[in-house]
């Protein structure tokens, strides 16, 4: 592990010491090599040990979904590529993407709006017109 911090945007970064990687055997492409070489990576990020603000930690755990554990860790498995190094970079990239989304401020609350008087009148006039058209399609009575 390097000593450089990993930037995630919004002036935040994570310490590489909060990451742990385990290489495992991957399924998928690779032929017979896949049975011999551990190319997939399991990246664990200890969210509670990180220096991220609590609001970001809570959003990250919520965004992680099933990848989040009860112990406050995020587990990302990467086995898209055939080499350890590319899978390792992919896992870190996916973690940074997740944490960047969590660091984004929540959107402002929606303001309730009402339809204008003119739009309500136009809608009701159109409904009445359709009603008239459909009423005229009925059978003609022998009254």
């Amino acid at each position: 592990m390097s000593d450089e911090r990993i930037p995630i945007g919004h002036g935040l970064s994570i310490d590489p010491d909060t990451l742990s990687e385990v290489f495992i055997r991957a399924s998928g492409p690779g032929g017979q090599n896949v049975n011999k070489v551990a190319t997939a990576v399991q990246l664990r990020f200890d969210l509670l040990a990180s220096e991220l603000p609590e609001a970001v930690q809570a959003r990250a755990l919520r965004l992680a979904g099933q990848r989040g554990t009860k112990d406050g860790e995020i587990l990302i498995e990467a086995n898209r590529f055939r080499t350890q190094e590319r899978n390792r970079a992919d896992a870190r990239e996916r973690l940074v993407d997740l944490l960047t989304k969590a660091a984004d401020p929540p959107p402002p609350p929606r303001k309730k709006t009402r339809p204008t008087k003119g739009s309500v009148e136009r809608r009701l006039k159109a409904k009445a017109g359709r009603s008239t058209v459909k009423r005229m399609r009925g059978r003609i009575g022998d009254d």
Side-chain angles (χ1 to χ4, degrees):
M1 301 267 173
S2 65
D3 292 334
E4 279 189 42
R5 296 181 65 79
I6 302 169
I8 60 168
H10 302 287
L12 299 173
S13 62
I14 55 173
D15 188 9
D17 293 338
T18 57
L19 300 176
S20 66
E21 295 169 336
V22 177
F23 294 98
I24 57 174
R25 288 188 184 157
S27 61
Q32 293 174 349
N33 193 47
V34 91
N35 299 324
K36 298 184 291 187
V37 183
T39 56
V41 66
Q42 270 188 345
L43 177 72
R44 278 186 189 274
F45 173 62
D46 193 357
L47 194 60
L48 300 179
S50 68
E51 300 124 15
L52 296 174
E54 286 187 29
V56 174
Q57 288 181 1
R59 280 197 299 269
L61 208 51
R62 192 173 66 244
L63 284 172
Q66 288 185 332
R67 295 175 292 182
T69 66
K70 291 179 182 176
D71 300 330
E73 292 182 334
I74 296 176
L75 177 68
I76 295 178
E77 286 192 20
N79 60 1
R80 232 183 279 187
F81 302 103
R82 291 179 62 168
T83 63
Q84 269 189 1
E85 199 51 46
R86 285 183 71 189
N87 280 329
R88 184 178 187 205
D90 181 43
R92 285 180 176 229
E93 189 176 302
R94 286 167 40 198
L95 176 68
V96 168
D97 287 345
L98 179 102
L99 293 176
T100 302
K101 282 182 190 172
D104 285 342
R110 180 184 169 275
K111 290 183 180 178
K112 294 181 181 178
T113 59
R114 294 181 61 169
T116 62
K117 188 175 180 181
S119 68
V120 171
E121 288 173 1
R122 284 191 299 274
R123 182 179 63 87
L124 293 177
K125 185 178 177 186
K127 282 173 68 96
R130 294 296 303 158
S131 173
T132 305
V133 168
K134 290 186 175 192
R135 199 175 330 115
M136 298 303 284
R137 289 182 189 160
R139 291 191 181 192
I140 300 172
D142 289 335
D143 294 345

